[in-house]
Amino acid sequence: MRIVIAKSLLAGLLSLLASLAISFTFVPMLGGEVAGAGLVMTIVCPLAISIPASAVLFSQSERVRRAEARASDALAKLAAAYEELRLQSRQDGLTGLLNRSAFLEELQLLSRQGVTGALVFLDLDHFKSINDRDGHATGDEVLRRTGQILATYMGQFNIAGRLGGEEFALFQGGLAVEEMSRWCEDIRELIEGMHVRSASRSIVSVSASIGAIHCVSGFDPDECLRAADVNLYEAKSLGRNRVVSSV
């Protein structure tokens, strides 16, 4: 309000100065004299008209400015909420990793970008027995901890997702063929070394079977996923808690 009043008074002062300048310039040229009632009118009229009119104009402008600011703030909050919902729709609620559809979408994008690397299918061994023996809360903790381990591998060309149940998938961009087996072993060892206790405080044994395939530039995501799944099945058939990889 103070700003509106100040602007209105300034507008009145400028109007007064303009009125005086015009009067003292043109009235003498027409043979008149600026004095008496004429001088009073020259002073009073611009003040009486410009100050109220300016106050209304500036007040309306201020209301419009505030409304635009509120609208801009509301749009920013709406955009942030939309982005939050978009991210949530792509995340697995328990582990925070990409969900199945988001992982497959990102894998397709990496393929189109010509990225090479290792694709991994990972399955927690005997997970159902953990739920049955130690309870679903312990099983959820195992899934969360697995998600934390896999999330450390996420980056610009690296993605990790929970495909459902106890199944996870990773893609490590730029990983060479000779590096793939060691990388998978590191993940397997991290999961095997996971320290989880049940509600009864007993240590929960956790391990994972891993199937990996090296993907060349322009790879077919579906074909690579099937190949990784075949290697995962072989890892399970060989006794679980191991890595089977191929190129």
Side-chain angles (χ1 to χ4, degrees):
M1 188 62 183
R2 291 179 180 177
I3 295 176
V4 171
I5 294 174
K7 287 182 176 179
S8 300
L9 292 174
L10 179 60
L13 178 60
L14 293 175
S15 297
L16 172 60
L17 294 175
S19 177
L20 291 171
I22 292 171
S23 296
F24 280 100
T25 299
F26 292 102
V27 171
M29 292 173 59
L30 298 173
E33 182 181 356
V34 182
L39 179 59
V40 172
M41 294 298 291
T42 299
I43 296 173
V44 172
C45 286
L47 294 176
I49 295 173
S50 65
I51 292 178
S54 298
V56 171
L57 176 63
F58 291 137
S59 179
Q60 290 177 341
S61 297
E62 182 65 17
R63 284 197 293 269
V64 170
R65 186 192 66 79
R66 290 178 180 176
E68 289 177 344
R70 288 194 295 269
S72 178
D73 184 58
L75 287 173
K77 289 180 179 179
L78 183 62
Y82 174 79
E83 181 63 15
E84 180 67 21
L85 287 174
R86 188 189 71 82
L87 292 175
Q88 288 179 1
S89 71
R90 291 169 52 83
Q91 287 181 333
D92 172 63
L94 182 61
T95 64
L97 301 178
L98 296 174
N99 58 30
R100 183 183 186 89
S101 60
F103 180 87
L104 297 178
E105 179 184 325
E106 290 296 320
L107 187 63
Q108 188 72 246
L109 178 60
L110 291 173
S111 172
R112 290 197 296 269
Q113 292 175 338
V115 179
T116 64
L119 176 63
V120 166
F121 253 1
L122 182 154
D123 188 273
L124 296 176
D125 297 327
H126 306 296
F127 183 74
K128 184 177 183 301
S129 66
I130 295 176
N131 278 332
D132 294 341
R133 182 183 64 249
D134 302 304
H136 288 278
T138 302
D140 286 349
E141 180 61 18
V142 170
L143 292 173
R144 276 192 292 269
R145 296 284 293 277
T146 302
Q148 290 173 358
I149 291 172
L150 301 186
T152 62
Y153 292 92
M154 296 180 71
Q156 183 179 4
F157 299 114
N158 311 323
I159 56 175
R162 182 186 177 199
L163 302 192
E166 66 274 21
E167 292 185 344
F168 297 84
L170 298 92
F171 181 87
Q172 189 80 355
L175 198 69
V177 174
E178 58 270 18
E179 300 172 313
M180 183 170 63
S181 295
R182 181 64 260 174
W183 177 69
C184 292
E185 280 293 338
D186 289 342
I187 295 173
R188 187 195 63 77
E189 290 172 3
L190 286 171
I191 293 174
E192 187 178 28
M194 189 188 303
H195 186 74
V196 178
R197 290 186 179 273
S198 66
S200 63
R201 307 305 300 165
S202 61
I203 296 177
V204 179
S205 176
V206 183
S207 65
S209 299
I210 296 176
I213 184 75
H214 192 267
C215 304
V216 298
S217 179
F219 64 90
D220 184 317
D222 293 332
E223 184 177 320
C224 287
L225 285 168
R226 283 193 294 270
D229 192 34
V230 169
N231 288 344
L232 172 60
Y233 181 81
E234 184 177 351
K236 287 184 175 183
S237 67
L238 291 173
R240 292 183 168 84
N241 192 24
R242 66 188 64 233
V243 174
V244 173
S245 61
S246 60
V247 295

